[in-house]
Amino acid sequence: MGVVDDLGDDLARQTLEAMEEIGDDRFYYEVAKVVGASSPTLQEAFLTSMRIRLAAARGQKFVEETLRIKRGAGKAPVAPPDTTAH
């Protein structure tokens, strides 16, 4: 990664921790506004890292929930529909 990507990813990790601590899952939008006022390039790197990390967390939660329910003989969660298929 380049310096911009590294800085954006570091800020994304810190922001995710802050979001958990303050209980605000939209806090990263505020951080993005602050960053974007000075550097749109860093803002985009930050938002890209946030989207990737949030998506990975949702995917991990889905896998864990599916396994937990499957092991308990419950009904597995349903994945959202694929909106990219035409």
Side-chain angles (χ1 to χ4, degrees):
M1 281 192 194
V3 68
V4 172
D5 292 329
D6 290 344
L7 290 171
D9 192 52
D10 287 343
L11 183 57
R13 276 187 269 138
Q14 293 171 18
T15 301
L16 283 167
E17 290 174 9
M19 287 166 51
E20 283 188 35
E21 187 173 326
I22 64 178
D24 182 356
D25 66 348
R26 309 294 277 180
F27 177 65
Y28 72 97
Y29 286 113
E30 300 302 316
V31 175
K33 285 187 222 177
V34 171
V35 172
S38 299
S39 175
T41 303
L42 181 56
Q43 180 188 44
E44 187 55 39
F46 166 71
L47 286 171
T48 297
S49 187
M50 285 299 302
R51 287 188 294 267
I52 290 168
R53 289 179 173 280
L54 289 169
R58 283 191 296 271
Q60 182 65 36
K61 182 179 178 184
F62 179 78
V63 169
E64 290 171 357
E65 186 176 321
T66 300
L67 290 174
R68 180 183 54 78
I69 291 171
K70 177 70 174 171
R71 291 172 182 151
K75 186 176 177 184
V78 177
D82 183 0
T83 59
T84 60
H86 294 261

